[in-house]
Amino acid sequence: MIEFKNVSKTYPNGFQALKNINLKIEKGEFVVIVGLSGAGKSTLLRSINRLNEITEGEILIDGKSITNAKGSSLRRIRRDIGMIFQSFNLVKRSTVLRNVLSGRVGYHSTLRTILGLFPKEDENLAFDALDRVNILDKAYTRADQLSGGQQQRVSIVRALAQEAKIILADEPVASLDPLTTKQVMDDLKRINQELGITTIVNLHHVDLAREYATRIIGMRAGEIVYDGIATEAKEDTFSEIYGSEGKESELIGERAI
């Protein structure tokens, strides 16, 4: 599904965020990427849909190079990739339904989407997606009237309405309390299992990685230092990823506060 071939990323200031990454992620996996801030997690994730441009190497999606894609070819590949942000990235003054329907813009002309002329089929798709995460009753509520957890669930629904084959979630629960964190992670996991959508999530917290991931990728200083089945990740694994014996308990403790 997704393949990194000798991928590196160097920012204009000379900081090398990714160092010769070679990686394959198969269809239907639930992958959690862990590591400290600055380890390269977000750069890796955002390079998949070219929110961050790489400086070396190539990334393939279903065998097609998104690195070299342009114009309509790039738009078609991106249409299959849903993105969930830490900050929700919603239009706060618009209704939940309008925000969800924004996931359909890749299927219609620019003029049609600006005018909000979405067909009935799109609305039905949006309602079904809202029902899947139990917020159908919020369809006509303004986004800024929702709790943080509800807003993040709208982001998930937007990716579903997009009919994404891949969901990328960049620290999706960093600003949420523990109970809401569980609800959002449960939604992502259930969608992954029921619909087979390849899901890649960046997290700081290793307890969440262990609980939800089928596969954990650990990053440190722009390199992959661990790649394995979640159930096989041990204490010393996370010590290697985070660089000290105390990092895991420290991060678990942050989430508990």
Side-chain angles (χ1 to χ4, degrees):
M1 172 64 84
I2 303 167
E3 184 175 5
F4 287 71
K5 291 185 172 182
N6 303 313
V7 170
S8 295
K9 166 67 176 182
T10 303
Y11 285 98
N13 64 1
F15 176 73
Q16 191 170 13
L18 299 176
K19 302 174 183 177
N20 196 40
I21 299 292
N22 287 282
L23 175 68
K24 288 184 181 180
I25 296 172
E26 300 298 335
K27 177 178 171 57
E29 286 194 281
F30 193 107
V31 177
V32 172
I33 305 173
V34 297
L36 293 172
S37 296
K41 304 189 304 299
S42 289
T43 302
L44 181 75
L45 191 82
R46 290 165 178 251
S47 68
I48 293 172
N49 61 356
R50 281 181 59 181
L51 283 182
N52 276 347
E53 297 283 3
I54 60 175
T55 47
E56 294 180 41
E58 185 176 27
I59 300 172
L60 306 177
I61 311 289
D62 279 345
K64 298 177 182 177
S65 175
I66 189 169
T67 308
N68 299 322
K70 298 178 180 178
S72 60
S73 296
L74 178 59
R75 287 192 294 273
R76 281 194 296 270
I77 297 174
R78 279 178 161 167
R79 193 170 64 185
D80 290 335
I81 306 172
M83 187 80 192
I84 298 169
F85 300 88
Q86 177 181 339
S87 58
F88 317 135
N89 205 33
L90 302 178
V91 180
K92 298 295 180 68
R93 299 182 67 179
S94 290
T95 64
V96 166
L97 180 60
R98 290 282 301 188
N99 274 282
V100 173
L101 286 171
S102 70
R104 302 297 299 167
V105 297
Y107 295 87
H108 305 294
S109 69
T110 302
L111 179 60
R112 186 168 189 169
T113 56
I114 289 174
L115 296 175
L117 301 176
F118 293 96
K120 189 65 176 178
E121 292 81 1
D122 283 6
E123 290 192 4
N124 291 337
L125 187 65
F127 288 135
D128 288 344
L130 286 165
D131 192 34
R132 185 176 286 276
V133 299
N134 300 312
I135 55 171
L136 180 57
D137 61 321
K138 303 295 184 182
Y140 296 103
T141 302
R142 273 180 32 158
D144 58 6
Q145 296 176 357
L146 303 180
S147 67
Q150 289 170 333
Q151 289 187 53
Q152 196 58 288
R153 293 166 105 176
V154 174
S155 299
I156 295 171
V157 173
R158 181 177 56 199
L160 291 179
Q162 186 179 330
E163 296 183 295
K165 296 177 182 176
I166 299 166
I167 289 179
L168 308 177
D170 195 7
E171 299 286 356
V173 296
S175 61
L176 305 180
D177 62 69
L179 178 59
T180 310
T181 289
K182 180 174 177 9
Q183 292 171 340
V184 169
M185 292 301 297
D186 283 349
D187 284 335
L188 286 171
K189 184 66 174 180
R190 181 164 45 82
I191 288 164
N192 165 257
Q193 292 176 330
E194 292 177 357
L195 302 180
I197 298 173
T198 307
T199 306
I200 308 171
V201 184
N202 280 347
L203 293 173
H204 278 300
H205 307 298
V206 298
D207 56 340
L208 291 177
R210 282 173 164 164
E211 183 176 355
Y212 290 98
T214 55
R215 175 181 174 190
I216 292 175
I217 294 173
M219 293 195 69
R220 186 176 180 189
E223 297 179 306
I224 294 174
V225 295
Y226 178 80
D227 183 356
I229 298 170
T231 54
E232 295 179 355
K234 306 301 181 186
E235 299 291 328
D236 57 348
T237 301
F238 294 106
S239 295
E240 181 181 0
I241 295 169
Y242 289 105
S244 72
E245 295 294 335
K247 283 297 180 185
E248 181 180 358
S249 59
E250 176 185 328
L251 290 164
I252 293 173
E254 285 179 0
R255 182 171 168 257
I257 294 172

